[in-house]
Amino acid sequence: MKPLGYANAGAPPSNSRLDATFAALADPTRRAILVRLRAGEATVTQLAAPFAMTQPAISKHIKVLERAGLVTRGRVAQSRPVRLAAEPLAEATEWLAAYRDFWESRFSRLDALLDDLREQR
């Protein structure tokens, strides 16, 4: 028997970049790193400062963000500053927008139904 799953439910095929973006965003530490990088580039030491974890642990989070394309690393003398690369977030936002439109449509229909019910009283 074939297992049921999203592929059988009519879901679109997997988009590896979108998958990597959402997987990277699933962790609160990685989201906090992205928030910090909105203010500008930072070194691993600077990124690790607010967290109760080691720099190697922060480096592992940064590697996940790099694989997702959400950050890049430069080179300035001995330093390798980390920079935000927000393009994958635009793709994720576009994907989520379709669901926002779906729910807005549903709520509009619910509002219309409630208005009709109020008028019938």
Side-chain angles (χ1 to χ4, degrees), residues 13-15 36 40 48 52 58-59 66 69 72 85 87 93 100 103 110:
S14 178
N15 177 330
R36 164 55 186 87
I58 291 296
S59 290
E66 277 185 296
T72 60
E87 293 81 15
T93 300
R100 182 188 62 224
W103 285 111
L110 180 60

Side-chain angles (χ1 to χ4, degrees), residues 43-105:
T43 64
V44 173
T45 303
Q46 292 169 324
L47 291 172
F51 298 102
M53 60 179 70
T54 63
Q55 286 186 12
I58 291 296
S59 290
K60 286 181 181 178
H61 284 295
I62 291 169
K63 286 179 183 171
V64 171
L65 293 168
E66 277 185 296
R67 283 194 297 270
L70 292 164
V71 299
T72 60
R73 286 189 187 197
R75 181 168 294 281
V76 178
Q78 301 296 326
S79 177
R80 297 202 61 208
V82 180
R83 297 181 182 102
L84 180 65
E87 293 81 15
L89 291 174
E91 184 181 351
T93 300
E94 183 178 321
W95 187 84
L96 290 170
Y99 293 95
R100 182 188 62 224
D101 295 345
F102 168 81
W103 285 111
E104 285 177 355
S105 170

